[in-house]
Every structure is written in C-alpha cells, then in structure tokens.
Amino acid sequence: MSTMLLVLLLISTLHLHANLILASDPDPVQDFCIPNPEFGSVKTARLSILPCKNSSTATTDDFVFSGLKSAGNFSDIGLATIPVNPTVFPGLNTLGMSFVRADLKVGGINPPHFHPRATEIAYVVQGRVYAGFVDSSNRVFARVIEQGEVMVFPRGLVHFQMNVGREPATIFGSLNSQNPGNQKIPSAVFGSGIKEELLQKAFGLSPKQIGTMRRRFDPKI
Ligand SMILES: *[C@@H]1O[C@H](CO)[C@@H](O)[C@H](O)[C@H]1NC(C)=O
Ligand SMILES: *[C@@H]1O[C@H](CO)[C@@H](O)[C@H](O)[C@H]1NC(C)=O
C-alpha cells in the first residue's frame, strides 16, 4: 500500500471516529448521577442537565427498574409501549442508554417512526414480528423475526413492526441515547398542524381525505 493511500485511510478513519464521538451522548464524567428530584433540571445553552444527588446516598434500588414485568396499556392499533428513560428510571441518567418494552396484540402494529438520536437493537422476547427499516435511498429492509432474534434499526431511519404470529408478541428495545426521541411519521405529517394546502399538494389528497387523516392523527382535533 502506498504511503499516500495509508495517509488517506488514516484521515478517513480519524474523521469517522470524530463523527462517532459527536453522534453519541456525552461520556459520563463520574460513575453515575442519580438526579435529585428536589433540584429539578438546569438548562444550559445546549441541553438540560439533571443535577445529581450526593453519590453517598445512592442505593442498589436506584439501579433497578421493576416496571417492565407486564405489558403497558394497549392503544387501538394493538400496541403497548413502556419507554424507560431517566425520567422513570433515574439510575440511567448520564449513562447514554435507554430502553423500551413493546407488546403487540395479534395483528397489532408499531407504525413507521424513527429515533433522531439513537440506534435501536430490538430483541424479540416472544412471538413472530414483521420488522424492518427504510434507508435514505428508500430501500426497505424487512422480514419476519422470531423469538430470540434481534434486529438493528440504524439511527434516524424509519422503522416499523407488525405482529404476524398467532400469539401476542413482546419486544425489548435498547437505545444508545438516554433521550432518543420518537417521531411517529403519521402524527408528524398529519397531526402537527402543517398547512392543509401543502399536505393536499404533497400527497395528492382531497380536502376531505386530509380531514380524515387529521382527525385520526391530530390529538387536538
Ligand atoms: C456527600 O455526603 C458525604 C457523607 O454524608 C459528605 O461527607 C460529603 O461532604 C457530601 N458531598 C457533597 C458534595 O455534599
Ligand atoms: C395504564 O393506564 C393506567 C390507568 O390510566 C395508569 O394508571 C398506568 O400508569 C398506565 N400504565 C402505563 C405503563 O402507562
């Protein structure tokens, strides 16, 4: 390999490395930081920080979460999710991770959505699930995954799931940000108050059809 090529390779590797660092939650500067509810949160220019309680008052229970033993409340699309972040599990604060339990009734769906700040690893605890994502060239990567199988949804890409089995399905999702964000495509488009005329032109829908979509996805209507 020529020296030139080696240098280029090194530069691109360094560049990639820098991007990786910038793309994730900041590294912790202490073992852990259990937020002290009395202090609330402190807003800085870039983020809001939860001040830690004195670490000598931390207990084992601060690092245990017991709220995932059973499914959450099902919505009318047959989906129940329990997102677990530092708000409900303070022990996660500053650790750069969060997770979610998702349960799907037979035929239930998790509609297309994405997490702007995290890649997700989804482990099928039970059931058979059609799962996939769409990349930025609109190519879909989807198939049925079964109990014990894992699928990864790259950061910021639209992904979805549907229970195609004969039993309820349970998925455990792990995300590499303590605040991954969850943007649901139908609500972002039809439930956010974008001017109706624009939606008509963008989707080739009539005012009546737009109205139907808005009533379905806009919580304010
Ligand atoms: C934390 O608690 C310990 C033991 O009570 C105490 O010695 C220490 O000064 C406290 N640290 C802070 C920053 O308050
Ligand atoms: C389910 O709904 C009940 C009643 O509204 C509520 O008390 C409970 O916290 C909800 N469970 C979850 C996991 O959101």
Side-chain angles (χ1 to χ4, degrees), residues 67 70-73 81-82:
S70 51
N73 296 318
T81 57
I82 308 177

Side-chain angles (χ1 to χ4, degrees), residues 30 46 49 54 72 74 86 88 91 101 109 119 128 133 140 165 167 170 172 177 179 182 185 188 203:
Q30 52 209 328
R46 288 196 58 210
I49 293 169
N54 189 327
F74 284 94
V88 291
R101 171 175 173 153
I109 64 159
T119 290
R128 294 180 76 236
F133 68 89
V140 68
E167 309 284 334
T170 304
F172 180 83
S177 168
N179 186 19
N182 183 350
I185 303 300
F203 294 98

Side-chain angles (χ1 to χ4, degrees), residues 24-98:
S24 52
D25 285 15
D27 273 337
V29 291
Q30 52 209 328
D31 289 353
F32 50 80
C33 167
I34 313 294
N36 185 334
E38 286 168 24
F39 295 161
S41 73
V42 177
K43 298 229 183 300
T44 71
R46 288 196 58 210
L47 67 169
S48 65
I49 293 169
L50 302 171
C52 325
K53 70 182 184 183
N54 189 327
S55 60
S56 67
T57 66
T59 67
T60 305
D61 285 347
D62 283 325
F63 302 100
V64 175
F65 182 75
S66 305
L68 284 192
K69 290 181 187 173
S70 51
N73 296 318
F74 284 94
S75 65
D76 54 7
I77 52 172
L79 169 71
T81 57
I82 308 177
V84 185
N85 50 51
T87 313
V88 291
F89 183 14
L92 279 181
N93 190 39
T94 73
L95 301 184
M97 302 183 67
S98 56

Side-chain angles (χ1 to χ4, degrees), residues 194-205 207 210 214:
I194 297 176
K195 203 172 172 59
E196 219 169 293
E197 186 189 343
L198 185 149
L199 293 178
Q200 285 169 27
K201 289 178 178 170
F203 294 98
L205 296 176
I210 295 287
R214 285 202 135 163

Side-chain angles (χ1 to χ4, degrees), residues 156-216:
L157 298 188
V158 171
H159 57 279
F160 47 81
Q161 286 128 359
M162 176 166 66
N163 181 354
V164 293
R166 295 203 180 123
E167 309 284 334
T170 304
I171 300 161
F172 180 83
S174 191
L175 300 123
N176 70 332
S177 168
Q178 75 170 43
N179 186 19
N182 183 350
Q183 194 145 28
K184 296 180 178 69
I185 303 300
S187 315
V189 175
F190 296 106
S192 60
I194 297 176
K195 203 172 172 59
E196 219 169 293
E197 186 189 343
L198 185 149
L199 293 178
Q200 285 169 27
K201 289 178 178 170
F203 294 98
L205 296 176
S206 69
K208 192 172 165 219
Q209 288 169 319
I210 295 287
T212 307
M213 297 301 267
R214 285 202 135 163
R215 276 190 299 281
R216 189 173 161 142

